[in-house]
């Protein structure tokens, strides 16, 4: 049976694999030392289900809540042990323990919502696939992103992805993506976007300071380039103000799958399908495939996703269907945070 310690340690491994030694150390200290003798510890130890403790990323909720104190400047002692500082583990735990006791109301309130990071580096896996879709359909796009959060990955065409001395996107883009690319370079195509919309159960507003703070709190504090790129992406999103509906995936698909002559409808999502109930996963996939069966060359439908599977090959597969052909294509794999792409 899984325990709270197990859940923290599982997240430790994930943080280490995804390049955040600080967050891994922080959560390891939680696993070893967190008791129920103060309100935050009691809140965590009293979590209704140990199964949902892990699936609900409660360990990351706490890490984000503590980081929000640093970003807000609410606890100088805590800030003093956060990056770029490198304290001993004993000093780090002392400051964290004191912060949890002093700011328990803020931390518990922060943890009532699931983490939202809107990882823009996942666009590293999306961009080459969008160019492939454009090359084959030769029609403008109607973009629909499921689980769009603040809509940062609706702006993928405004980012510059640099590969092998070439740039996909505007050369003067403020957001620069530099993935570790493995495999042949993808083709570049002319892309036109007619509309772009997304959905999320709890969409964040990039023009709202509190929503931006929440998003930045979940970016691990020792990943400085990721922090800076996300800030720039939020600024860009605040200027462009795309529509992200407060809506579940199935209702969103009902109106975004309608046939549009002279345009390619593109449904896409990254590392979110696993959070849908299995029944909704089946319904959503059936809705997309049914719409694909009605697609024509002048009204094609593409379904692009970067979602976890059960393989131990690392990262997540990049999968694409384009109807009316509808064949499933396995384009490659990508790191869960988009740091590397293995392109087929």
């Amino acid at each position: 049976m899984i325990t709270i310690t197990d859940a923290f340690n599982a997240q430790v491994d994930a943080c280490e694999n995804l390049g955040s030694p600080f967050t891994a150390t922080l959560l390891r200290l939680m696993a070893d030392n967190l008791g129920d003798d103060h309100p935050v510890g009691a809140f965590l130890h009293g979590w209704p289900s140990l199964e949902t403790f892990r699936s609900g990323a409660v360990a990351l909720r706490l890490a984000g809540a503590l980081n929000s104190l640093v970003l807000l400047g609410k606890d100088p002692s805590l800030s003093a042990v956060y990056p770029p500082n490198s304290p001993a583990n004993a000093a780090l735990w002392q400051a964290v323990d004191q912060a949890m006791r002093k700011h328990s109301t803020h931390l518990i309130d922060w943890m009532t919502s699931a983490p939202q990071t809107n990882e823009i580096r996942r666009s590293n896996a999306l961009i080459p696939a969008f160019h492939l879709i454009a090359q084959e359909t030769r029609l403008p796009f109607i973009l629909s992103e499921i689980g769009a959060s603040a809509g940062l990955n609706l702006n993928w065409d405004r980012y510059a992805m640099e590969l092998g001395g070439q740039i996909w996107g505007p050369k003067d883009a403020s957001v620069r993506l530099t993935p570790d690319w493995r495999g042949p370079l993808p083709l570049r195509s002319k892309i036109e976007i007619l509309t772009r919309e997304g959905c999320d159960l709890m969409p964040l507003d990039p023009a709202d300071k509190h929503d931006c703070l929440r998003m930045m709190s979940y970016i691990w504090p020792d990943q400085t380039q990721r922090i800076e790129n996300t800030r720039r992406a939020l600024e860009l999103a605040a200027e462009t103000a795309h529509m992200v509906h407060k809506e579940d995936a199935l209702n969103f698909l009902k109106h975004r799958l309608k046939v549009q002559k002279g345009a390619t409808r593109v449904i896409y999502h990254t590392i979110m399908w696993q959070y849908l109930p299995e029944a909704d996963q089946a319904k959503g996939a059936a809705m997309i495939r049914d719409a694909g069966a009605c697609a024509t060359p002048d009204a094609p439908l593409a379904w692009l996703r970067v979602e976890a599977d059960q393989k131990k090959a690392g990262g997540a597969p990049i999968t694409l269907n384009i109807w009316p052909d509808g064949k499933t294509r396995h384009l490659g794999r990508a790191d869960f945070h988009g740091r590397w792409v293995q392109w087929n």
Side-chain angles (χ1 to χ4, degrees), residues 1 17 20 23 36 75 89 100 133 150 168 176 198 226 232 243 258 276 284 322 325 327 335 338:
M1 180 179 177
N17 291 333
S20 181
T23 308
D36 60 358
D75 193 309
N89 285 358
M100 286 192 294
I133 295 167
W168 278 254
R176 319 292 292 189
R226 185 182 174 206
R232 292 173 180 172
M243 177 65 72
K258 292 180 180 178
L276 294 177
I322 305 177
D325 174 85
K327 180 181 177 182
D335 173 68

Side-chain angles (χ1 to χ4, degrees), residues 163 172 202 223 337:
L163 295 177
D172 61 349
M202 295 184 65
Q223 297 185 330
H337 282 185

Side-chain angles (χ1 to χ4, degrees), residues 128 161-166 168 181-188 343:
M161 186 177 73
E162 302 177 14
L163 295 177
Q166 300 182 47
W168 278 254
W181 192 267
R182 307 167 188 175
L185 291 180
L187 296 173
R188 288 185 292 181
W343 190 249

Side-chain angles (χ1 to χ4, degrees), residues 25-87:
T25 297
L26 174 67
L27 296 181
R28 187 180 293 110
L29 289 171
M30 294 287 183
D32 293 342
N33 298 292
L34 183 67
D36 60 358
D37 59 335
H38 55 78
V40 174
F43 175 75
L44 294 173
H45 281 275
W47 195 264
S49 163
L50 288 172
E51 190 173 304
T52 61
F53 188 99
R54 183 169 178 178
S55 64
V58 179
L60 287 183
R61 296 188 195 201
L62 178 54
L66 287 164
N67 196 23
S68 74
L69 292 176
V70 174
L71 295 175
L72 288 168
K74 283 181 171 288
D75 193 309
S77 297
L78 185 64
S79 298
V81 296
Y82 263 58
N85 304 301
S86 301

Side-chain angles (χ1 to χ4, degrees), residues 268-290:
Y268 69 102
H269 47 87
T270 61
I271 318 299
M272 61 73 56
W273 203 251
Q274 67 199 50
Y275 299 113
L276 294 177
E278 288 187 8
D280 285 358
Q281 291 180 22
K283 289 178 183 177
M287 290 172 68
I288 295 171
R289 295 186 186 281
D290 287 348

Side-chain angles (χ1 to χ4, degrees), residues 138-216:
R138 300 188 182 278
L139 291 170
F141 288 172
I142 295 174
L143 295 176
S144 304
E145 184 185 8
I146 304 173
S149 189
L152 301 192
N153 284 323
L154 282 167
N155 264 337
W156 56 267
D157 59 311
R158 296 184 171 102
Y159 303 157
M161 186 177 73
E162 302 177 14
L163 295 177
Q166 300 182 47
I167 296 177
W168 278 254
K171 293 183 179 179
D172 61 349
S174 61
V175 177
R176 319 292 292 189
L177 302 173
T178 55
D180 174 11
W181 192 267
R182 307 167 188 175
L185 291 180
L187 296 173
R188 288 185 292 181
S189 304
K190 182 179 179 180
I191 291 176
E192 179 186 356
I193 298 173
L194 298 179
T195 65
R196 53 185 108 203
E197 296 183 19
C199 74
D200 200 279
L201 291 177
M202 295 184 65
L204 298 178
D205 181 358
D208 182 274
K209 290 183 179 180
H210 184 269
D211 282 359
C212 288
L213 173 67
R214 176 164 287 279
M215 187 173 297
M216 296 303 298

